[in-house]
Amino acid sequence: MEAKNLWRFLVLSIGVVLVLLVTWLPNKEALDCNLYSGWCTSKNRFYSSAHPNNPIKKPSFSTYHHHKNQHHESEIPQHPLDPLTIQEFNKVRTILLNYPLFKSSSSYTLNSVVLEEPDKKLVLKWKKGDLPLPRKASVVAYVKGDSHVLTVDLETGQVVSQEAITWSVSGYPTMTLEDMVGVLEVPLKSTEFNRSITKRGVNLADLACLPISSGWYGTQVEENTRLIKVQCYSKEGTVNFYMKPIEGVTALVDMNKKEVLSISDNGQNIPVANGINTDYRYSIQKLNGGELRMLNPISLEQPKGPSFTINGHLVKWANWEFHLRPDPRAGIIISQAKVRDPDTSKLRSVMYKGFTSELFVPYMDPTQDWYFKTYMDAGEYGFGLQAMPLDPLNDCPKNAYYMDGVFASSDGTPYLQPNMICIFESYAGDIAWRHAECPITDLKVTEVRPKVTLVVRMAAAVANYDYIVDWEFQTDGLIRAKVGLSGILMVKGTTYENMDQVPNQEYLYGTLLSENIIGVIHDHFITYYLDMDVDGSDNSFVEVNIKKQETSPGESPRKSYLKAVKKVAKTEKDAQIRLQLYDPSEFHVVNPLKKTRIGNPVGYKLVPGATAASLLDPEDPPQKRAAFTNNQIWVTPYNKSEQWAGGLFAYQSKGDDTLQVWSNRLLIF
C-alpha cells in the first residue's frame, strides 16, 4: 500500500490449543455474587453521582505492591488519550439525564461510556504543556428497542451527535453486567424450568447459572428481540460447578422483557456428574494423603527500585514510552508507543494504537443445546468488563505496579475495577544477546546481555475461561502480544462413564474426560487491532515472498537458492494473507519516505507465531459473524469507526459489519 495511505493489519496465530488472531493496524469489593449465579454483579462497586460525599471504594494494597495511590475522585486528565475520570462520568450522566432521548424513556441502558478520542492528527501534534484538547465521551445506549451512538461534549455540556441504529442494520451493543446478572433470575420464576432442574435431583439452592449469548441463525424468534440462553450447573459439594453441568436444560430468555420464551428439556437420562475431587483450590487438594506441596517462592529483587516510571497513564521504561489505559471492551489499550533512537536520543514512533479487537470462541457441537455456543467474548461480554482484580505475587510479581479501571454502569454511574492491569519488569534468566569469540581468533571477548522486558498484563475471567493478556516490550524495539489461556473447560454431560460404552460409530464431538463428562472441541480466535506508525503515519505494507530460484547452467555448482521478492500491496485484496508453510513470506510495515543511513526504508517486521485458520463453512452463521478469521492477515484503509473486527454491535449480529465486509470494498490506492 502506498505511503500516502493509512493501513491496518490483522494476524492470526495459534499456540498449542489456543488460536490467536493478531490484528495489526498501521496508520490509518468484593464482588456481590448472585445466589444462583457463577457470575458477579457490580452493584456494590458503583460510585453514585447523587451522593458525592460517598467515596469510591478503593482496593486495599499490601506492602509488597509497588503502587502510586490512585486518587480517582480528584483525577484530572493529563493526556488527550487519558480515560474518562469520575467527574467526567458524572457529568456525562447529568447531561444525558436532561437529553430528550432519555427524558422521554423510563427505561434505558448505557451499554458503553468511554472517551471519544480526539482526531489522530490533533493527538500527534499535541505535546506536554499544550492546552488540553477538547474532551468528549462516546456513548452507546439501548433505548426502546433501538441502539443509539451519541457524542457528548464535556466542555459545552451538550450532546453534539446522535445516530440511531436498528437491529435490522446491525446487531446489539455489548451486554452490561446488569444484563448478564438480571437474566439469571428469570428462569427461576418458571415452574417448568424449576421442575426440569429438581427432577434431575438438583436442589435449586445449589444452582450456578450462566448467561450464554445466543448468536444469530435467521429464525423468526430472533427478529427484533434481544435473546440470551441460560444454562445451569450444580455446585453441590464443590466450587468447581463447571464439572457438574445439568445437561439438556436450556432457557431462552427475552432480555428486554425479562421473560422465558421457551425451555428445552433434553437428555433427562444424563446424570449430573459427581464432581468428586475436582475442587481446584490448593487449600482443598491433597496429595498422597497430605497437603499438596507448592514450589518455593521465587522473587525478582530490585534494590534500586523499578526501572520504569508511570505518570498518570504515561509509561516510560528503558528506551520505550507509551500511553496505557483500561477499556471496558478491549481491556488494555496501548497508544503512541515510541522507542528512543540510541544514535540521536530522539523518540521515534512505532505504533499509534493497539488492543484486543475481538475473541471468537466457536464450539464444535451442532446439537440443540450446544450449536449456539459461538461466543464473541469482547463484543458480547466486554473483555475489560470481565477483567478480574490481579492477585499480587501470583498474577504479577513483587515489583509490579497496579492500575485500576473506572467504568460506567448501565445507568452511567462510575465504578471501580481495582487492580485491573499490572506493569512489571520480567527477568527469567534468558539471554537477550550474546557473542563469544572462538579461540582461533585469539580475541578474548565474551559479551552477554540479560533479557529484561517490560510486561503490561491483564487477566479476564469470561465465565469458565481465564485469558491472560500480555503486552511485552523489549529493549531491541520488539513488541510482543501474548495470550495465555487458563481456567476450566466448558464440558458436556453424558451417560457414558468409560469409552468401552461408546458405540464405534458414535461421535462425541469431543473427548470423554471423566465419568459423565465430555470436553467439547472448540477454538479460541483472538484478534488484535494494531495501528502502526513507523516513523510517522505514511506507512506501506510489503509482502516479501521467499521463492526458490534455480541457477542457470554453468552459473554455479549450486542448483538453487532462495530469493526474496518484495511486493507492495496496492489494494485491500493484495493484503489479504493466508499463511502457507510451503509458500513462505515475510510481512513488513515500512515508511518509504524515511530512509536508513544506507538508503533502505525504515520499517518493522510482523512475525506471526504458529498459525491456524477457521475450517467452518463460510456460509455457516457463526463464521459469517466471525469472517475476520477467514484470513490470517488483513490490511484495510484507516477508518476511525472500523476498530472492532466483529463489528461495533456484535451481539446477535448477522455479519454485516465485519472486517471481511470492509475489506470487500477492494479499494485501489
Side-chain angles (χ1 to χ4, degrees):
M1 286 133 187
E2 296 179 355
K4 66 180 179 180
N5 300 309
L6 308 183
W7 297 93
R8 171 171 48 202
F9 304 79
L10 285 150
V11 181
L12 176 76
S13 303
I14 181 171
V16 195
V17 297
L18 170 66
V19 181
L20 167 66
L21 183 68
V22 180
T23 313
W24 276 63
L25 305 178
N27 322 296
K28 285 265 206 230
E29 253 149 345
L31 300 178
D32 176 28
C33 291
N34 184 287
L35 174 64
Y36 303 107
S37 170
W39 289 67
C40 293
T41 173
S42 55
K43 74 177 186 180
N44 286 340
R45 294 181 287 161
F46 296 155
Y47 179 94
S48 174
S49 58
H51 302 284
N53 294 325
N54 292 343
I56 192 165
K57 186 173 178 63
K58 288 179 176 289
S60 58
F61 300 108
S62 4
T63 55
Y64 46 73
H65 280 71
H66 168 65
H67 188 282
K68 285 186 178 180
N69 291 329
Q70 298 182 39
H71 301 291
H72 297 290
E73 300 94 331
S74 57
E75 279 181 338
I76 298 174
Q78 303 176 42
H79 187 280
L81 299 179
D82 280 359
L84 297 176
T85 65
I86 286 175
Q87 292 85 350
E88 290 175 324
F89 276 119
N90 287 332
K91 187 171 184 179
V92 169
R93 184 171 183 266
T94 300
I95 294 168
L96 294 178
L97 286 174
N98 292 293
Y99 189 65
L101 175 66
F102 302 97
K103 290 178 70 174
S104 63
S105 175
S106 59
S107 177
Y108 62 85
T109 298
L110 302 183
N111 298 74
S112 174
V113 182
V114 295
L115 173 76
E116 180 161 306
E117 295 183 13
D119 185 82
K120 180 176 176 179
K121 292 180 180 179
L122 296 177
V123 176
L124 291 174
K125 290 179 181 178
W126 186 90
K127 59 184 182 296
K128 188 175 181 180
D130 289 351
L131 291 174
L133 296 181
R135 298 279 288 179
K136 296 179 181 179
S138 176
V139 178
V140 174
Y142 187 70
V143 186
K144 297 179 179 178
D146 286 332
S147 303
H148 298 262
V149 180
L150 307 96
T151 299
V152 178
D153 190 318
L154 288 162
E155 292 189 359
T156 65
Q158 301 292 321
V159 175
V160 294
S161 69
Q162 176 193 342
E163 180 184 6
I165 301 175
T166 62
W167 175 81
S168 60
V169 174
S170 186
Y172 294 113
T174 304
M175 289 186 290
T176 65
L177 291 175
E178 291 83 353
D179 282 333
M180 300 177 213
V181 173
V183 299
L184 298 179
E185 297 178 356
V186 176
L188 295 171
K189 299 174 183 178
S190 164
T191 303
E192 180 184 355
F193 182 83
N194 291 342
R195 186 185 303 116
S196 296
I197 297 297
T198 55
K199 70 184 178 183
R200 283 167 168 75
V202 177
N203 192 316
L204 293 178
D206 289 330
L207 281 188
C209 300
L210 296 181
I212 300 174
S213 55
S214 59
W216 175 80
Y217 294 91
T219 63
Q220 186 173 357
V221 71
E222 294 172 301
E223 294 294 325
N224 298 308
T225 306
R226 276 204 314 162
L227 301 174
I228 195 163
K229 296 190 176 183
V230 177
Q231 293 181 336
C232 299
Y233 301 75
S234 170
K235 53 186 173 65
E236 181 184 11
T238 178
V239 298
N240 189 8
F241 60 85
Y242 294 107
M243 291 300 104
K244 295 171 67 71
I246 304 171
E247 193 62 46
V249 180
T250 304
L252 178 63
V253 176
D254 184 322
M255 292 178 65
N256 295 338
K257 296 179 180 179
K258 297 293 191 295
E259 294 179 356
V260 173
L261 299 181
S262 65
I263 295 172
S264 63
D265 188 356
N266 305 303
Q268 297 181 21
N269 62 325
I270 300 176
V272 175
N274 58 38
I276 293 176
N277 296 327
T278 64
D279 197 310
Y280 47 78
R281 293 172 293 177
Y282 271 123
S283 59
I284 302 297
Q285 291 181 357
K286 304 287 184 180
L287 184 64
N288 295 328
E291 292 291 337
L292 184 66
R293 294 192 60 182
M294 302 266 305
L295 296 173
N296 291 332
I298 298 175
S299 177
L300 171 67
E301 298 297 329
Q302 294 183 290
K304 296 183 179 180
S307 301
F308 63 89
T309 61
I310 300 179
N311 183 9
H313 292 269
L314 188 65
V315 181
K316 295 182 180 180
W317 173 78
N319 50 343
W320 280 102
E321 178 178 305
F322 57 90
H323 186 274
L324 167 65
R325 78 174 188 263
D327 181 82
R329 181 165 177 172
I332 292 173
I333 294 181
I334 304 286
S335 300
Q336 290 195 288
K338 302 174 183 178
V339 68
R340 194 170 298 279
D341 190 318
D343 295 326
T344 65
S345 295
K346 292 182 179 180
L347 286 170
R348 301 174 66 179
S349 63
V350 175
M351 181 177 73
Y352 181 74
K353 189 176 181 181
F355 61 87
T356 302
S357 179
E358 192 52 84
L359 298 97
F360 176 49
V361 188
Y363 282 77
M364 303 303 169
D365 186 334
T367 58
Q368 182 174 350
D369 293 292
W370 278 81
Y371 74 88
F372 51 85
K373 294 182 181 182
T374 54
Y375 307 100
M376 298 276 200
D377 282 346
E380 294 175 338
Y381 291 94
F383 205 37
L385 292 178
Q386 309 304 323
M388 293 290 106
L390 295 166
D391 186 13
L393 298 186
N394 292 316
D395 279 320
C396 311
K398 181 178 180 179
N399 58 320
Y401 172 102
Y402 293 81
M403 183 177 289
D404 302 333
V406 180
F407 300 148
S409 61
S410 61
D411 69 351
T413 56
Y415 68 90
L416 191 67
Q417 203 82 311
N419 283 19
M420 175 179 165
I421 297 171
C422 71
I423 305 98
F424 61 91
E425 289 167 285
S426 176
Y427 172 63
D430 294 329
I431 298 170
W433 182 88
R434 83 175 315 279
H435 180 65
E437 283 297 335
C438 62
I440 62 173
T441 64
D442 199 31
L443 294 173
K444 300 183 183 302
V445 176
T446 298
E447 183 78 11
V448 185
R449 300 170 193 171
K451 181 179 180 180
V452 180
T453 63
L454 186 73
V455 178
V456 178
R457 174 170 294 168
M458 180 198 79
V462 189
N464 56 307
Y465 272 118
D466 293 60
Y467 296 95
I468 300 97
V469 178
D470 286 357
W471 287 85
E472 187 174 344
F473 296 83
Q474 294 186 185
T475 53
D476 60 1
L478 182 145
I479 304 175
R480 178 181 286 109
K482 297 168 61 177
V483 178
L485 188 60
S486 189
I488 301 169
L489 287 174
M490 179 173 284
V491 300
K492 178 179 181 178
T494 178
T495 58
Y496 301 125
E497 296 183 350
N498 190 285
M499 285 300 296
D500 293 338
Q501 301 171 337
V502 183
N504 290 334
Q505 60 269 43
E506 182 175 349
Y507 183 62
L508 299 180
Y509 306 108
T511 303
L512 189 68
L513 301 177
S514 184
E515 293 84 356
N516 308 117
I517 290 297
I518 294 172
V520 178
I521 294 172
H522 61 287
D523 281 324
H524 293 256
F525 294 87
I526 294 111
T527 313
Y528 283 86
Y529 171 111
L530 302 179
D531 182 357
M532 298 300 292
D533 269 7
V534 179
D535 260 352
S537 296
D538 296 321
N539 289 183
S540 298
F541 178 69
V542 181
E543 182 177 3
V544 183
N545 298 117
I546 311 301
K547 301 289 187 182
K548 180 180 73 173
Q549 181 70 40
E550 296 183 354
T551 57
S552 302
E555 178 185 356
S556 169
R558 293 275 298 273
K559 287 185 173 291
S560 63
Y561 60 96
L562 299 183
K563 181 179 181 181
V565 180
K566 297 181 180 180
K567 176 185 177 184
V568 179
K570 299 294 184 181
T571 69
E572 292 175 270
K573 188 67 175 177
D574 290 343
Q576 293 182 11
I577 306 298
R578 294 188 178 185
L579 301 178
Q580 300 180 58
L581 179 62
Y582 288 97
D583 187 14
S585 296
E586 287 191 354
F587 309 99
H588 298 176
V589 183
V590 304
N591 188 332
L593 305 183
K594 301 287 181 68
K595 304 290 184 179
T596 66
R597 186 181 72 256
I598 56 175
N600 290 318
V602 299
Y604 257 69
K605 180 165 70 172
L606 171 62
V607 184
T611 58
S614 175
L615 301 180
L616 295 178
D617 190 304
E619 295 304 311
D620 192 357
Q623 188 61 29
K624 290 180 71 174
R625 300 176 68 229
F628 51 84
T629 64
N630 288 338
N631 296 314
Q632 286 82 45
I633 299 176
W634 305 76
V635 184
T636 70
Y638 175 79
N639 185 323
K640 186 178 179 181
S641 67
E642 295 176 352
Q643 300 189 62
W644 308 106
L648 177 62
F649 297 140
Y651 198 92
Q652 259 176 263
S653 64
K654 304 176 183 178
D656 296 334
D657 179 31
T658 67
L659 178 61
Q660 175 77 70
V661 173
W662 311 334
S663 191
N664 282 346
R665 293 169 302 200
L666 299 179
L667 297 179
I668 300 176
F669 298 89

